[in-house]
Amino acid sequence: MLTLLLAVALLQDLRPGATERFHHYDVRIEVSKDGSLGITETMRAVAAGHQIQHGIYRDVITRSREGAFWIRPRPLKVGSTSFDGAPVVNRVEHSVGSDRIFLGSERWRVEPGVHTWTLSYETDGWLQFHDEEDELYWNATGNEGLLPIDELRVEVVLPDTFAEDAIRLDAWTGRSGSKGKDFEVVDRSDQGVVIRSTRVLDPGEGLTIAVFWPSGSVSRDSQPPIEFDSGRALMTMSVPLGIGLLFLAWLLVGRSPTSGTIRVESSLPEGLSPAAARHLSAMGYDDTCLAAALVSAGHKGHIVMGGASSRSMLVSRAEGEPMEALTDDEHVVVDALLEGDNEVALTKRNRTRVMKARRDLKDALQSEQLGHLFSLNRKWVAIPLVAWFAVYVGGAASGSMLGFALFTSTWLTFWTVGVLFMVAIAFALWSQGGKKLGTWVAAGGLTLFALLFIGAEVLAIKFFADQLGLLATVACPLMMIVGLVGLRAMRARTTKGRQLLDQVEGHRRWLQERLADELRASDPEHASVFYEAQLPAIVALGIETETATQIQGAFDHTLDGSDPSFRRPTWWNLDDD
């Protein structure tokens, strides 16, 4: 099967009004007794320097797929090539599943006018054998030609003579998958048939024939045997192999000890700061750790927080003696933010200080807990991923598809990252839309844009899957996604970490179930002080909204300020400039 493509460059001195096209396209197919095909194609075309400049080239299928992991080789041998009756140079480039035959050279240009190219070649492996008949199924021109064809003529010469009515013929015209019947039988003999198109074939259209004749004239053992595609099999098997190894690693090291008996506790475990409790619960750092550390430092009388303006918050050193010493992680946050100053506004101008506070707090918490209370087990994620990628690359290399596979994988991986990024932003915009029309418009526009990118990715996967297979095509994007999930899932607490977390969970239950009752049973002044003392843990455990709803009744009679015994937190300045 052939796909006609044309070399593209620029040419000066073009004929005004010239239209490049094939006037005549003749294909002669000789079927040999050994099953090979000898094909001669004569192409008479108008060249005007647009599509045709240095010559033309043809793509010839050299192997086709038969099942998921089997291929049928289609050996190709190029014979003579000519241009306007004189020999012309040719060269062949190999790619995945096909060879490209160039007729011409970059060293010379095709003059505008009518020219004739001739290409002869041999190919094998195209016959199909049925119980009583042999069949030749052949796409005479391919369906990706760039020029229209005014008249296409196809002649099939069989390896023996037969009764004319024993030779059957069918043909189809149009684009791939079309069932057009725009052809006629020009000649029929006891050794073959000749047909031609009855309309102009537009770019992208072709003619496919199916010729049947009685069995016995061609040796059925002569066809190239199908081959096992070990490269594609390895690339495909790399996916379940990688996922299986990751799952095995998770079974070995990624499971935390089961929870023990959780007792309701009125405080966090001794020596565990609110930020450390958050870090242990999440088995990693997030900005809630920073918020919990700041609230705790404020409660202990070291800093005062409040509104510097409508768009920023001011952190200041508190006056007087602190009520309680800071923990090590709280120290690093206060020191990083203030850096010897008395106050700092948390604005973009001071983002370097904020980033340093985050980094220092993360380092301090990890040095306290990592390896002692929980492990990240990143090497147990890396090893299966490296094995996965090694098998994938090995399969691509053994199947002579390394370049194509790496290009496909790299492109799809970066494209997938972009798609996931757009989907995440669109989801965030929909979630935060509220009553702002601009946000809804932005969310809708980004969603539409993301859908277009998703559609393009689906089409690309379908295209690449024809060569590599579906699993092999999505292996690298899937590797990235599974790796990110594995990094989170592989984290596991130690026995000590599990025990501390059970105590943290016990305090969470106390805050959720008993705090409101404790506040209602206390006088307003004691209740406000007591609630303030619980705020760092409430922030650390992420139950601010839930706790506020449950205890609302406890402060209803003091929120309006009518009760002078109610005390607001001294470390929180509500006055804005």
Side-chain angles (χ1 to χ4, degrees):
M1 298 173 65
L2 301 177
T3 300
L4 175 63
L5 297 170
L6 304 173
V8 180
L10 297 175
L11 181 67
Q12 299 176 346
D13 303 326
L14 303 181
R15 292 190 309 164
T19 301
E20 292 184 328
R21 63 195 308 110
F22 286 103
H23 282 326
H24 302 286
Y25 196 116
D26 294 337
V27 182
R28 177 182 171 86
I29 306 169
E30 297 184 21
V31 183
S32 302
K33 290 184 177 294
D34 62 3
S36 63
L37 305 180
I39 300 177
T40 301
E41 300 190 2
T42 304
M43 299 152 281
R44 187 170 180 81
V46 177
H50 302 305
Q51 305 285 359
I52 304 175
Q53 293 188 18
H54 302 288
I56 64 175
Y57 62 84
R58 303 296 304 274
D59 282 345
V60 182
I61 302 298
T62 55
R63 67 179 200 172
S64 56
R65 193 150 303 282
E66 296 192 8
F69 304 122
W70 297 91
I71 56 174
R72 172 74 68 180
R74 317 281 192 184
L76 173 67
K77 180 180 179 182
V78 179
S80 62
T81 56
S82 68
F83 173 71
D84 287 341
V88 65
V89 295
N90 68 78
R91 59 187 175 89
V92 179
E93 289 186 358
H94 305 288
S95 61
V96 178
S98 66
D99 285 354
R100 177 165 290 178
I101 309 170
F102 289 85
L103 284 76
S105 171
E106 292 288 337
R107 298 179 181 177
W108 59 273
R109 292 180 179 271
V110 178
E111 294 295 329
V114 180
H115 301 280
T116 302
W117 282 267
T118 301
L119 167 65
S120 297
Y121 57 93
E122 293 182 4
T123 184
D124 202 353
W126 291 100
L127 300 186
Q128 300 181 45
F129 300 105
H130 307 291
D131 291 340
E132 297 181 355
E133 290 181 315
D134 298 338
E135 176 189 358
L136 168 64
Y137 185 89
W138 183 259
N139 189 328
T141 60
N143 294 95
E144 297 179 6
L146 300 179
L147 299 181
I149 302 174
D150 292 336
E151 183 180 77
L152 172 63
R153 180 178 179 274
V154 181
E155 178 182 3
V156 179
V157 180
L158 300 178
D160 207 341
T161 58
F162 307 92
E164 289 188 18
D165 58 359
I167 302 174
R168 298 191 300 115
L169 167 72
D170 203 351
W172 305 270
T173 56
R175 298 185 178 276
S176 179
S178 299
K179 300 297 182 181
K181 294 294 183 180
D182 302 302
F183 72 93
E184 64 180 1
V185 178
V186 177
D187 187 22
R188 182 188 292 271
S189 69
D190 60 1
Q191 200 172 356
V193 293
V194 180
I195 66 172
R196 69 180 178 189
S197 59
T198 56
R199 68 169 177 86
V200 174
L201 298 177
D202 294 326
E205 294 186 326
L207 185 148
T208 300
I209 62 170
V211 181
F212 302 83
W213 63 93
S215 300
S217 60
V218 177
S219 171
R220 299 196 171 198
D221 297 331
S222 62
Q223 294 292 282
I226 61 174
E227 300 173 354
F228 181 68
D229 191 349
S230 59
R232 183 172 182 176
L234 283 173
M235 293 169 69
T236 300
M237 292 305 297
S238 71
V239 176
L241 174 65
I243 294 175
L245 288 176
L246 278 168
F247 181 70
L248 179 60
W250 177 80
L251 290 176
L252 292 175
V253 302
R255 294 182 294 174
S256 298
T258 57
S259 176
T261 302
I262 297 179
R263 298 177 180 177
V264 177
E265 304 282 353
S266 60
S267 64
L268 289 173
E270 184 178 356
L272 194 69
S273 69
R278 174 67 182 187
H279 193 261
L280 175 61
S281 297
M283 286 193 290
Y285 173 85
D286 60 19
D287 281 343
T288 302
C289 296
L290 179 62
L294 288 173
V295 172
S296 181
H299 166 66
K300 292 176 180 179
H302 289 263
I303 61 172
V304 175
M305 294 181 287
S309 68
S310 59
R311 295 186 178 181
S312 66
M313 186 172 72
L314 188 69
V315 177
S316 309
R317 292 189 188 276
E319 298 178 357
E321 288 295 323
M323 297 182 296
E324 190 178 339
L326 295 175
T327 61
D328 290 343
D329 53 83
E330 293 163 353
H331 258 301
V332 299
V333 170
V334 173
D335 291 345
L337 282 178
L338 294 177
E339 290 186 345
D341 297 332
N342 287 325
E343 62 181 28
V344 61
L346 303 186
T347 62
K348 289 184 178 180
R349 181 179 180 181
N350 293 315
R351 62 181 177 272
T352 302
R353 292 194 186 187
V354 177
M355 294 300 295
K356 185 176 186 303
R358 287 173 172 170
R359 184 173 59 253
D360 290 353
L361 177 59
K362 179 180 179 180
D363 292 343
L365 293 173
Q366 284 191 344
S367 66
E368 292 175 6
Q369 298 184 1
L370 196 58
H372 173 54
L373 301 182
F374 69 88
S375 298
L376 298 179
N377 295 317
R378 289 175 176 170
K379 68 178 181 180
W380 290 92
V381 177
I383 293 173
L385 290 181
V386 169
W388 182 347
F389 188 70
V391 173
Y392 180 84
V393 172
S398 66
S400 302
M401 296 183 290
L402 183 59
F404 179 75
L406 291 181
F407 165 78
T408 301
S409 300
T410 303
W411 185 89
L412 273 179
T413 299
F414 280 101
W415 192 274
T416 301
V417 170
V419 168
L420 293 177
F421 182 72
M422 283 189 291
V423 170
I425 295 178
F427 180 79
L429 288 174
W430 284 116
S431 301
Q432 302 171 5
K435 297 181 179 180
K436 296 181 180 180
L437 179 61
T439 305
W440 290 116
V441 172
L446 188 59
T447 299
L448 179 60
F449 201 55
L451 289 175
L452 293 175
F453 270 67
I454 291 172
E457 180 161 9
V458 170
L459 292 177
I461 289 174
K462 183 178 183 301
F463 173 77
F464 292 132
D466 290 339
Q467 293 294 334
L468 301 177
L470 179 59
L471 280 181
T473 298
V474 301
C476 284
L478 191 60
M479 194 184 307
M480 175 194 66
I481 295 172
V482 171
L484 292 175
V485 174
L487 285 173
R488 186 70 185 92
M490 207 67 70
R491 299 177 186 181
R493 297 179 184 88
T494 63
T495 302
K496 176 64 175 176
R498 178 73 257 184
Q499 292 171 350
L500 277 177
L501 183 63
D502 287 346
Q503 295 178 52
V504 171
E505 289 300 314
H507 186 50
R508 182 198 300 270
R509 293 187 183 182
W510 184 88
L511 291 172
Q512 293 172 325
E513 299 170 3
R514 299 186 184 180
L515 177 60
D517 293 337
E518 292 283 345
L519 295 175
R520 291 189 184 95
S522 304
D523 60 83
E525 182 177 4
H526 179 266
S528 60
V529 174
F530 187 71
Y531 180 65
E532 178 185 344
Q534 310 308 316
L535 276 177
I538 291 174
V539 171
L541 299 178
I543 55 175
E544 305 95 322
T545 303
E546 179 183 351
T547 305
T549 301
Q550 293 182 8
I551 67 174
Q552 184 176 8
F555 286 154
D556 280 346
H557 63 293
T558 61
L559 291 178
D560 60 359
S562 59
D563 191 333
S565 61
F566 175 75
R567 185 177 75 84
R568 296 180 182 275
T570 57
W571 50 268
W572 181 252
N573 181 11
L574 298 176
D575 297 329
D576 294 337
D577 292 339

